[in-house]
Amino acid sequence: MKDNIIQVIKLVVVCVVAAAVLAMVYDITKEPIRIAIEQETIKAVKSVVTGYTDDMIIDTVTVTENGADFIIYTVKDEAGNIIGRSISTFSMNGYGGTMCFMLGVKSDNKISGIYVLSHKETPGLGTKMDLPLFKDQFLDKSLKNTIFKVKNDGGDIDAITSATITSRAVAEAIELGLIVLDKYFKNEKSDIEPDTLFLDKEEEVEDVN
Amino acid sequence: MSTKQIFLKGIWENNPVLVLLLGFCPVLAVSTSVIDALGMGFSTAFVLLGSNLVISLTRNFIPKKMRIPVFIIIIATFVTIVDLVLKGFFFDIHKSLGLFIPLIVVNCIVLGRAEAFASKNNVFKSIVDALGMGIGFILAIAFLAAIREILGNGSILNIKLFGDSFKPVIVAILPPGAFISLGFMLAGMNKINLIKKEKEKAKKNLEKKQKQSQVG
């Protein structure tokens, strides 16, 4: 009996010490982790929105569609003109499961860039989705002029050789992102974006481009 | 056993991957590129070092009956530390290793060394053992990753080795390629050991004969 109590006490001591050490490490790394994630996001937005410069402002809104949260980043220049938007989108049908992308669009909802945030695709096969050869075919495409399916399925997207499932999932994720963006930022009816002169500004930006 | 022997045992004679055949899960899964493999190798080595150190320090405090749960708590603590530190300071490596970091907890190399060595030896010896085993693990996983990356992707450390006409052996980078490459590595290791043994035998025989002839 006495032995058992000593064992319990010792186990509790070990657990308390472990918890204390972890709490300390968590506290130290909290800030760097937050910064690293933030920088990764900014890097992603930067690389998909054409014309992004460091003095621009990023507004974020979170919308919920079909039970999933999408974060939409609106990039504005100092005068408040909208340069472009980006949305974090995903597909659950990758070869290795879920894959996440940052999708950038210009003010007319045409694609300006894609950034792979996370994936579990096969190295050397599925990871080729990150190469310009595959990615660049999406540039300037929008829901109006493109069917987001691989050519085998009757769409407009060239699949990667021996990585058709990955290609399908990429197309799916991009389509999803565009649909969500279209829903909230196409017809001026958006209740999230308070900018009333939104449409005019959009055209202004287009002229500049 | 001398310090040097303990150290070298981990690297060659008792190499955790190639001789003890432990920790195959991370070795097979994370050996698709050398950079990832090194990240995994150093993370595991760090956890091994930390757990060996703490376990040998506390070996007289921990009752025999409950040593396994205590080992797991200590190992899990170090793994969580590695996870947080990688996430905070090496975000890109964390991105590609992601899922496999928490799995170090159940890596049999770490628990195996805790049980077989650190819980029975003093702190200094345990550290040396952890260093030897850790380096042995890093070498094995990095070598396998180098084979797979060169064959399957035509590159090493993300530097392209061949021209555009190079068609990679895709199977090398797929899961079966890990098993095949590892098989060849094991075979090569056994062959080298066999040759070594035969040489030693031949040497001994020669010495014997010389002695006999001297006597004769």
Side-chain angles (χ1 to χ4, degrees):
Chain A
M1 187 59 199
K2 209 182 162 193
D3 260 14
N4 285 349
I5 292 172
I6 289 173
Q7 282 183 17
V8 170
I9 292 170
K10 283 186 172 178
L11 194 56
V12 169
V13 169
V14 169
C15 290
V16 168
V17 172
V21 170
L22 282 184
M24 241 165 60
V25 174
Y26 174 76
D27 217 43
I28 295 168
T29 53
K30 204 164 106 185
E31 199 50 25
I33 289 176
R34 197 185 58 77
I35 292 169
I37 291 173
E38 203 181 279
Q39 273 175 351
E40 173 78 5
T41 313
I42 291 175
K43 197 174 124 201
V45 173
K46 218 180 196 170
S47 72
V48 294
V49 175
T50 28
Y52 181 91
T53 51
D54 278 331
D55 50 348
M56 284 182 183
I57 308 152
I58 302 176
D59 280 351
T60 56
V61 276
T62 309
V63 297
T64 309
E65 251 337 283
N66 294 335
D69 280 344
F70 294 87
I71 304 172
I72 299 173
Y73 306 84
T74 306
V75 178
K76 293 178 188 169
D77 64 11
E78 276 170 328
N81 298 321
I82 291 160
I83 305 296
R85 288 202 174 77
S86 71
I87 180 170
S88 59
T89 178
F90 67 97
S91 164
M92 271 154 42
N93 298 324
Y95 195 67
T98 308
M99 41 213 268
C100 299
F101 299 91
M102 186 68 84
L103 174 71
V105 293
K106 292 178 215 158
S107 40
D108 54 357
N109 278 1
K110 277 184 182 167
I111 295 171
S112 62
I114 297 161
Y115 183 90
V116 182
L117 288 172
S118 70
H119 71 87
K120 295 191 186 74
E121 301 308 291
T122 318
L125 293 177
T127 48
K128 282 187 183 150
M129 72 186 168
D130 213 4
L131 296 179
L133 195 65
F134 176 72
K135 257 190 347 189
D136 285 355
Q137 65 173 317
F138 289 101
L139 295 184
D140 278 329
K141 289 197 168 150
S142 72
L143 286 174
K144 273 179 227 152
N145 63 17
T146 314
I147 306 166
F148 283 92
K149 278 179 176 169
V150 297
K151 283 193 172 149
N152 274 349
D153 302 343
D156 292 327
I157 304 302
D158 281 316
I160 304 161
T161 311
S162 62
T164 313
I165 293 172
T166 306
S167 313
R168 261 186 206 136
V170 176
E172 188 192 291
I174 288 168
E175 191 180 21
L176 180 67
L178 284 178
I179 289 171
V180 175
L181 273 176
D182 237 33
K183 188 169 169 189
Y184 287 95
F185 290 108
K186 194 184 184 181
N187 317 309
E188 237 352 272
K189 278 175 198 157
S190 159
D191 42 20
I192 295 166
E193 176 73 50
D195 210 342
T196 39
L197 287 166
F198 171 59
L199 226 129
D200 296 355
K201 274 179 187 167
E202 224 182 46
E203 273 155 17
E204 261 177 45
V205 172
E206 245 183 44
D207 289 343
V208 173
N209 285 347
Chain B
M1 246 191 320
S2 75
T3 317
K4 199 181 153 196
Q5 269 177 321
I6 296 173
F7 182 70
L8 290 177
K9 244 192 170 162
I11 294 177
W12 185 267
E13 205 182 321
N14 264 348
N15 186 298
V17 178
L18 300 173
V19 179
L20 304 180
L21 306 181
L22 292 174
F24 270 12
C25 162
V27 169
L28 294 169
V30 196
S31 55
T32 48
S33 84
V34 177
I35 289 179
D36 287 359
L38 287 176
M40 186 70 203
F42 281 107
S43 306
T44 309
F46 173 79
V47 172
L48 186 58
L49 191 64
S51 75
N52 258 18
L53 173 72
V54 173
I55 285 164
S56 72
L57 268 176
T58 55
R59 70 187 188 282
N60 295 324
F61 170 78
I62 306 299
K64 263 253 132 48
K65 271 187 203 160
M66 42 167 275
R67 62 185 193 287
I68 301 291
V70 173
F71 290 171
I72 302 279
I73 292 169
I74 292 170
I75 294 166
T77 306
F78 277 102
V79 171
T80 314
I81 291 172
V82 168
D83 195 35
L84 289 172
V85 170
L86 277 184
K87 208 172 181 185
F89 301 101
F90 304 96
F91 197 76
D92 283 336
I93 293 179
H94 189 272
K95 229 170 98 181
S96 55
L97 292 182
L99 184 72
F100 293 101
I101 296 290
L103 281 180
I104 299 176
V105 176
V106 286
N107 189 324
C108 345
I109 297 171
V110 183
L111 190 61
R113 290 331 284 172
E115 167 75 9
F117 201 94
S119 64
K120 290 169 193 150
N121 287 284
N122 65 28
V123 177
F124 178 68
K125 275 186 180 173
S126 300
I127 291 176
V128 173
D129 177 70
L131 286 176
M133 286 286 165
I135 291 170
F137 180 74
I138 293 171
L139 288 177
I141 191 172
F143 192 74
L144 179 63
I147 296 176
R148 291 182 66 194
E149 198 181 338
I150 291 170
L151 289 179
N153 208 18
S155 64
I156 188 156
L157 293 167
N158 290 338
I159 302 160
K160 273 229 168 315
L161 291 177
F162 310 107
D164 285 338
S165 59
F166 175 75
K167 281 262 182 305
V169 190
I170 288 170
V171 70
I173 214 126
L174 292 175
F179 284 97
I180 296 169
S181 314
L182 189 64
F184 278 113
M185 267 172 77
L186 290 176
M189 179 111 178
N190 285 345
K191 184 71 187 168
I192 292 171
N193 279 341
L194 213 69
I195 292 171
K196 252 188 176 172
K197 245 184 208 166
E198 270 170 11
K199 263 189 189 163
E200 265 169 35
K201 235 186 194 172
K203 221 179 175 181
K204 265 184 194 165
N205 281 344
L206 207 72
E207 276 170 13
K208 247 186 200 170
K209 267 183 196 168
Q210 277 174 347
K211 263 184 194 168
Q212 276 172 353
S213 61
Q214 274 171 4
V215 172

